[in-house]
């Protein structure tokens, strides 16, 4: 996935796991994020209010060591379309835009359903919960007033499990 050369043993370990596509926040108050440096591929796009969000793809590099990822955030439709190119990845998020009151072009949770990913590829914190996803209010030392949306953590091993 990332263009590096790997051993046959490493390749065989990938046969038991699918890529993880993890939504990571990029708001200034959520920085520094955890785990971005271990992603094989990164996507970044504006989501709202001029704030960008990342979708970090984990597969090759994360096989050797458990990677802490944070802060995990909500699904966005464009990222789901990009994740689709990875042939059945596990899409990791905390909720997302949905419902009759929202613009049909941004109904991310319905889009997951349209792809048939619900309950197969859709690793939503609201469905899985603890211990796969954990709120860590002490994630950023020195930030005593860290907003809840900046606190959701998980790890590659917990997500693959």
């Amino acid at each position: 996935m990332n263009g590096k050369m790997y051993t046959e043993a490493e390749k065989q370990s990938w046969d038991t796991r699918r890529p993880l596509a993890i939504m990571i926040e990029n708001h200034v108050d959520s920085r520094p994020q955890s785990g971005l440096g271990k992603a094989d591929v990164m996507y970044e796009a504006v989501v709202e209010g001029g704030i960008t969000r990342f979708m970090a793809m984990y597969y090759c590099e994360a096989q050797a060591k458990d990677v802490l990822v944070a802060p995990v955030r909500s699904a966005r439709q464009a990222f789901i379309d990009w994740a689709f190119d990875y042939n059945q990845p596990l899409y990791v998020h905390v909720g997302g835009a949905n419902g009759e009151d929202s613009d049909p072009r941004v109904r991310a949770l319905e889009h997951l359903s349209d792809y048939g990913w619900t309950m197969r590829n859709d690793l939503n914190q609201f469905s899985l919960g603890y211990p796969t996803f954990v709120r860590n209010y002490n994630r950023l030392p020195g930030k005593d007033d860290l907003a809840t949306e900046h606190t959701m953590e998980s790890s590659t091993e917990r997500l693959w499990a």
Side-chain angles (χ1 to χ4, degrees):
M1 179 190 280
N2 60 17
K4 290 184 179 180
M5 301 293 287
Y6 291 93
T7 67
E8 184 64 28
E10 288 170 320
K11 186 238 179 252
Q12 289 173 357
S13 75
W14 304 332
D15 291 340
T16 63
R17 295 178 168 171
R18 293 187 285 167
L20 294 169
I22 305 175
M23 296 304 304
I24 305 288
E25 181 178 9
N26 194 26
H27 188 279
V28 67
D29 292 341
S30 71
R31 298 175 192 160
Q33 298 91 343
S34 300
L36 293 181
K38 289 293 184 182
D40 294 294
V41 177
M42 292 287 296
Y43 293 84
E44 181 180 19
V46 175
V47 289
E48 68 263 336
I51 300 169
T52 65
R53 189 159 297 168
F54 297 115
M55 181 176 69
M57 299 296 302
Y58 296 90
Y59 192 51
C60 304
E61 289 295 308
Q63 297 285 336
K65 183 179 178 191
D66 190 19
V67 178
L68 177 69
V69 291
V72 181
R73 283 303 303 270
S74 58
R76 291 295 186 266
Q77 190 157 336
F79 292 102
I80 296 166
D81 290 336
W82 295 325
F84 186 79
D85 290 339
Y86 290 89
N87 189 25
Q88 302 296 318
L90 298 171
Y91 185 73
V92 181
H93 61 100
V94 177
N98 205 39
E100 294 177 14
D101 296 335
S102 63
D103 186 322
R105 296 171 295 173
V106 297
R107 293 182 186 161
L109 298 182
E110 290 178 13
H111 200 56
L112 286 167
S113 179
D114 292 343
Y115 274 171
W117 285 8
T118 307
M119 303 306 291
R120 270 193 9 217
N121 298 51
D122 182 12
L123 300 186
N124 186 351
Q125 179 266 332
F126 292 114
S127 299
L128 297 174
Y130 181 85
T132 304
F133 293 91
V134 176
R135 288 248 180 240
N136 180 358
Y137 290 94
N138 298 311
R139 190 178 81 71
L140 299 174
K143 290 191 177 181
D144 297 331
D145 58 346
L146 189 62
T148 298
E149 63 267 21
H150 307 317
T151 64
M152 188 60 71
E153 291 183 344
S154 192
S155 76
T156 53
E157 288 300 321
R158 285 185 272 164
L159 292 162
W160 274 314

